[in-house]
Amino acid sequence: VTMTNMSLDASEPMEISLNGAKVKAVTGQIVTGKMDAHNTFKAPNKVQGADFNDVTVTKDGLSFELPPRSVVLLEVMLKK
């Protein structure tokens, strides 16, 4: 699941329903920073991904805050 928050200053509470599926594990990556941040040949690592671990597994799915100016990728592994 990939989502973005284009707000400059407000986090967004997120709830993802998995329709009865049970979560085995969740891993995540986030890209965030100043709105005008960008990589260049002289500074190729100014914008980088980082681990995103602020996800709570609930009885119905997942819950977390999507930070402002961010793109978040969650990989959800389900129980069989």
Side-chain angles (χ1 to χ4, degrees):
V1 178
T2 303
M3 62 226 92
T4 187
N5 181 355
M6 295 178 13
S7 172
L8 295 177
D9 56 8
S11 294
E12 286 294 326
M14 303 296 292
E15 298 280 335
I16 297 176
S17 175
L18 298 174
N19 296 323
K22 299 299 178 194
V23 176
K24 181 177 180 180
V26 178
T27 58
Q29 291 285 308
I30 185 170
V31 176
T32 188
K34 292 183 177 183
M35 192 56 114
D36 62 349
H38 60 278
N39 293 342
T40 65
F41 288 112
K42 289 183 180 181
N45 298 315
K46 193 167 192 172
V47 178
Q48 297 185 62
D51 289 339
F52 183 77
N53 300 313
D54 297 329
V55 179
T56 301
V57 176
T58 66
K59 68 178 185 128
D60 296 322
L62 305 172
S63 175
F64 56 96
E65 290 278 328
L66 191 58
R69 305 173 314 279
S70 67
V71 177
V72 172
L73 165 69
L74 297 179
E75 184 176 357
V76 183
M77 289 142 282
L78 301 176
K79 294 180 182 178
K80 292 185 179 185

